[in-house]
Amino acid sequence: MNILAFLIPVSLILGGLGLLAFVWSLRAAQYEDLEGARHRILSDDHDDAPMR
Amino acid sequence: MTAACACGGIAAVPASAAEARPDILIHLPTIHCAACIVTAERTLSAAPGVLSARVNMGLKRALVTTDGTASALDLCTRLEAAGLSAQPLDAATLGQGADHAGRDLLMRMGIAGFAMMNVMLLSVAVWSGAAESTRQLFHLISAAITVPAIAYSARPFFDAAWRSLKAGRLGMDVPISLAILLATAMSLAEIVTREGHVWFEAALSLTFFLLVGRYLDQSCRRAARSAAAELSALDVPTATRLGADGPETVPSGALVPGDRIRVLPGQRLPADGVIEEGETDLDRSAMTGETEPAAAAPGDEVRAGETNLTGALVVRVARAGQDTQLARLASLVAVAETARNRHASLADRAGAAYAPLVHLLAAASFAFWWAWGGDAWQALGIAIAVLIITCPCALGLAVPAVSVAASGRLFRAGLLVKSATALERLSEVDTIVFDKTGTLTTGTPAIAAAPGGTALSVARALAEGSDHPAARALARHARDRGAEPATVEARREVPGHGVAGIWGISTVRLGRASFTGAEEDGRSGMWLHIGGSEPERILLKEMLRSGAEDAVAALKANGYRVLMLSGDGALAVADTAQRLGIDEAEGGLSPEDKVARLEGLAAEGRRVLMVGDGLNDTAALAAAHASIAPGTGLDAARSAADVVLLTGSLLAVPEALRVAKAARARMAQNLWLAAGYNAIAIPVALVGLATPLLAALAMSTSSITVSLNALRLSR
């Protein structure tokens, strides 16, 4: 059962990373224009800064 | 270029592009692909004064941040030149900034979802037999995740419950909050006593699913609200004021009594006033429903909302802004509208029946088990299990999920649902009342009968000299018949009367009866007078809106009672009614008459859907059980209506009724489904056999079933 002492923190940290990624994406306005995002991927211009 | 300078950090620029808020909004109705986005953004960024520009395709809108020197109109001109149609939006009407409420809910949802998944994983280990210290450790970790997650995520429910308790009501939020709080507190206590069930994941999944429901509900309303606000923001009324230093363009709201304004043909009057110079015909159909334009000359009173048709006017403003008759009538409607907000929605009624039941069941099971078993702690555990299992997780999703699916489907059909209860009210309708002018008909006339031959050639030559809708219809009619314009000299338009000219040696005139020397007989039309001969009549008919005939036929076939109430003359009304196959039609009605007719129908027990576009319909739109206004109508009519018709075709009306009925049926189905799951789970909980595993299963399966059932509607 000692393996738990190792695995539980690992799973929590991984989950926490996912949560952080979600919080970041929300803060960075990644959900503001889902319609446009699927078209922008076809454009040649590099573009990663949605307007808040 | 300017954008590059700003990034370079020149001191003159107050804020960097990243910090500044977009200050110009532009509506881009036609963008649909990646190329459009790129074109729009490049065009806008290249314009002087623009710091940055971003297209939001979902909203069909460009957000432009400027240094204050760029004008919205200039940017639109540039976009038009690049091949994109563009209109400036009034940022003040739309309200600035992103959607904070939606983002806030999304964040709470994310946190609750994350916590739910992790705690669920730990719980699965406990349920499958983890014991002793492992079990205790897992419970402690679960508690460490759950308590902060609940404290943050479930705040909207706690706040709402607190508000409704203070108001002395027992809304749905009270049992929800109670279940979440008690489950968490009870689980913490169980950790200390090391026995019994731990309900952390139940509390979290309850929070999560209910937040999903809230978010759907909120995003549906927001989409409708922003689209409706956009319609208003699109026609920001402006006026040309003749100031001391020449004409200037000002917003209509900035006019004050005593100002002199110029109104060109084709423009809507921005304020009430008196004509100082110029003669014209005025289109009053938006105000009264009359199709026949009225002649106006200096000294005549004009009102905001009327359209100037033929001659340029100078008007001295008598009342402006909120004092105009238009604005006062519109605000009367806004007051009347609150009456309809009392409509109890299906979800409200279900909640009202459910909330006391939940409390009663939980309290009864507590009392029974305490009295029978004598163990208060065990009794409390069972009561909490009952509360959690009965908690209306699926109930919270049942109605919003259907609303989202149905509104999305209607939006694709060209209908914008503005009000939250509109779908339910539409589904209850059994009688449909149409306005005529601007709703069933387009408001532009067509020619019913006209002389042919040379007379038509002369008529075409005269008609091309005027912007009057009847003249334009005549010119179109002659062109279609292949009549070449005759050579008419000295052609001049006499606004308010007609067009005159000289053809060969004879004087020719086209226009009103009095202008051409004919007898007025009350039927709509115009007259052509050539030289010494008798004036000839040119009969007008109204153009029906596309799909009007089919829509009326479809509605009648579906068993709806269809009526037409119009402010126009009785002859014109009877004619249109006959062409459309409407048996019950009435003309010459004032706005009050229309409301009285609707009240009469309501007194007969009829649920009326009013479809209308003008100011004279606005009170009726607000008084009806449900209402639809065409997007081409007056702003006042659009804001009074529940549903706005964005397409030109009236066929969307039967479609709206059909979808509303389907949606209503689906909502009821969903509520019964949710109740069905409870009917199975509650007895189990009451006898004390409920486990966290059972609660989790019941909650997720019922929520998913209900969502999938709602989704079936969107296809």
Side-chain angles (χ1 to χ4, degrees):
Chain A
M1 278 297 169
N2 280 340
I3 190 77
L4 281 180
F6 182 64
L7 280 181
I8 289 176
V10 165
S11 85
L12 284 178
I13 288 169
L14 285 178
L17 283 180
L19 184 65
L20 282 181
F22 171 74
V23 171
W24 170 82
S25 67
L26 194 64
R27 288 258 161 89
Q30 297 287 333
Y31 297 99
E32 292 300 293
D33 182 20
L34 298 174
E35 181 77 13
R38 76 171 189 225
H39 289 284
R40 279 176 199 278
I41 198 165
L42 298 172
S43 135
D44 288 335
D45 298 356
H46 181 64
D47 166 72
D48 60 355
M51 187 175 274
R52 281 141 206 254
Chain B
M1 264 164 58
T2 326
C5 295
C7 296
I10 288 175
V13 179
S16 78
E19 287 168 30
R21 313 284 313 172
D23 50 1
I24 292 182
L25 302 180
I26 294 175
H27 183 55
L28 301 165
T30 57
I31 52 164
H32 60 277
C33 65
C36 305
I37 298 181
V38 173
T39 315
E41 286 180 357
R42 282 211 186 122
T43 313
L44 288 170
S45 309
V50 173
L51 298 179
S52 70
R54 181 84 188 175
V55 171
N56 185 325
M57 196 152 174
L59 298 172
K60 295 209 182 297
R61 198 181 285 175
L63 301 97
V64 188
T65 313
T66 69
D67 58 8
T69 58
S71 91
L73 276 175
D74 171 54
L75 294 178
C76 287
T77 321
R78 282 165 187 271
L79 286 170
E80 300 272 359
L84 291 165
S85 62
Q87 289 132 305
L89 286 168
D90 185 20
T93 316
L94 282 176
Q96 266 290 10
D99 154 44
H100 287 297
R103 227 190 252 186
D104 180 62
L105 271 179
L106 207 56
M107 180 67 91
R108 291 182 202 272
M109 222 168 87
I111 303 277
F114 159 82
M116 180 184 78
M117 284 187 283
N118 280 284
V119 172
M120 191 68 86
L121 276 180
L122 295 167
S123 303
V124 168
V126 173
W127 296 338
S128 45
E132 304 296 319
S133 56
T134 318
R135 181 180 146 103
Q136 188 65 8
L137 174 68
F138 281 13
H139 280 165
L140 282 172
I141 299 174
S142 301
I145 299 174
T146 306
V147 174
I150 291 281
Y152 175 70
S153 296
R155 268 289 294 283
F157 303 115
F158 299 155
D159 290 348
W162 182 239
R163 271 199 305 275
S164 76
L165 277 183
K166 267 204 298 198
R169 287 179 296 110
L170 207 59
M172 239 22 239
D173 289 305
V174 178
I176 290 170
S177 304
L178 211 57
I180 294 173
L181 280 177
L182 279 178
T184 313
M186 173 88 179
S187 306
L188 285 174
E190 294 286 9
I191 295 179
V192 180
T193 60
R194 297 190 177 212
E195 55 186 89
H197 295 305
V198 169
W199 299 93
F200 287 128
E201 82 298 318
L204 278 169
S205 47
L206 192 60
T207 313
F208 175 71
F209 284 123
L210 286 168
L211 280 171
V212 173
R214 283 286 148 100
Y215 180 71
L216 286 180
D217 200 34
Q218 199 265 346
S219 70
C220 194
R221 278 175 209 204
R222 179 176 67 101
R225 232 191 358 256
S226 84
E230 193 153 293
L231 283 174
S232 316
L234 267 178
D235 52 25
V236 192
T238 58
T240 311
R241 179 161 63 193
L242 302 173
D245 25 296
E248 49 178 347
T249 306
V250 293
S252 301
L255 291 173
V256 290
D259 278 349
R260 294 171 77 236
I261 50 172
R262 171 177 292 151
V263 186
L264 295 176
Q267 286 181 339
R268 219 166 236 184
L269 280 149
D272 295 358
V274 178
I275 301 181
E276 286 211 328
E277 292 167 30
E279 288 186 33
T280 189
D281 296 274
L282 290 173
D283 178 0
R284 297 199 157 132
S285 62
M287 315 283 290
T288 61
E290 296 163 53
T291 38
E292 186 91 342
D300 284 350
E301 280 198 22
V302 291
R303 281 169 299 173
E306 297 173 345
T307 307
N308 181 13
L309 290 174
T310 45
L313 295 178
V314 174
V315 174
R316 181 165 295 276
V317 175
R319 291 178 298 271
Q322 290 309 307
D323 300 326
T324 60
Q325 210 165 355
L326 178 73
R328 273 183 305 173
L329 284 171
S331 63
L332 275 183
V333 170
V335 176
E337 215 184 345
T338 50
R340 197 162 54 198
N341 299 341
R342 285 200 294 267
H343 179 92
S345 72
L346 203 55
D348 292 342
R349 273 180 289 160
Y354 210 78
L357 191 73
V358 171
H359 289 122
L360 214 65
L361 272 175
S365 60
F366 176 74
F368 172 79
W369 281 98
W370 196 14
W372 191 68
D375 183 353
W377 189 246
Q378 188 209 6
L380 189 64
I382 290 171
I384 288 174
V386 169
L387 205 54
I388 290 174
I389 293 231
T390 47
C391 229
C393 201
L395 224 55
L397 273 171
V399 173
V402 175
S403 294
V404 168
S407 307
R409 176 152 170 198
L410 286 177
F411 189 74
R412 284 197 295 280
L415 289 150
L416 177 69
V417 182
K418 276 174 52 200
S419 140
T421 55
L423 278 173
E424 286 178 43
R425 279 183 286 117
L426 270 178
S427 72
E428 293 161 3
V429 158
D430 56 11
T431 305
I432 293 140
V433 173
F434 283 102
D435 166 51
K436 183 175 74 76
T437 319
T439 307
L440 285 170
T441 65
T442 56
T444 45
I447 303 299
T454 34
L456 192 58
S457 300
V458 175
R460 176 173 175 186
L462 286 169
E464 282 177 350
S466 171
D467 271 335
H468 193 285
R472 275 196 294 208
L474 181 59
R476 206 164 42 235
H477 171 80
R479 203 160 47 237
D480 293 346
R481 292 291 151 87
E484 288 302 317
T487 321
V488 171
E489 282 154 7
R491 188 177 64 188
R492 66 195 168 86
E493 180 170 20
V494 186
H497 298 281
V499 192
I502 295 169
W503 175 56
I505 51 157
S506 43
T507 324
V508 286
R509 286 176 164 217
L510 175 74
R512 289 176 187 281
S514 56
F515 182 63
T516 52
E519 289 281 317
E520 187 75 64
D521 64 356
R523 297 183 66 181
S524 85
M526 54 185 167
W527 298 80
L528 175 68
H529 180 244
I530 301 176
S533 57
E534 277 292 294
E536 282 186 88
R537 175 198 287 283
I538 295 165
L539 259 187
L540 294 174
K541 65 177 178 187
E542 288 179 79
M543 263 202 318
L544 297 179
R545 189 183 275 270
S546 77
E549 279 164 304
D550 295 339
V552 170
L555 290 171
K556 286 174 82 175
N558 287 335
Y560 291 105
R561 180 172 161 198
V562 181
L563 291 90
M564 182 161 86
L565 300 178
S566 174
D568 205 358
L571 273 171
V573 171
D575 177 50
T576 311
Q578 192 229 329
R579 279 163 73 197
L580 286 167
I582 298 178
D583 308 322
E584 300 173 76
E586 212 175 335
L589 297 173
S590 70
E592 294 78 26
D593 292 338
K594 286 197 181 191
V595 175
R597 293 294 183 284
L598 289 190
E599 279 165 0
L601 285 167
E604 283 173 37
R606 297 245 158 210
R607 301 283 177 87
V608 181
L609 164 68
M610 173 78 202
V611 189
D613 76 315
L615 186 69
N616 60 329
D617 303 313
T618 309
L621 286 170
H625 192 62
S627 50
I628 299 183
T632 51
L634 275 191
D635 193 30
R638 288 195 307 249
S639 46
D642 301 314
V643 178
V644 176
L645 197 63
L646 299 172
T647 62
S649 169
L650 275 181
L651 273 177
V653 174
E655 170 74 3
L657 290 168
R658 216 176 50 73
V659 173
K661 277 204 158 157
R664 161 75 199 225
R666 202 53 56 84
M667 283 175 192
Q669 219 175 61
N670 265 350
L671 290 175
W672 283 116
L673 264 176
Y677 274 102
N678 278 341
I680 300 170
I682 288 175
V684 180
L686 281 178
V687 296
L689 293 176
T691 60
L693 177 61
L694 182 79
L697 275 178
M699 232 183 281
S700 7
T701 41
S702 66
S703 298
I704 290 168
T705 322
V706 160
S707 313
L708 288 180
N709 192 35
L711 275 183
R712 286 201 295 142
L713 195 70
S714 63
R715 279 186 298 127

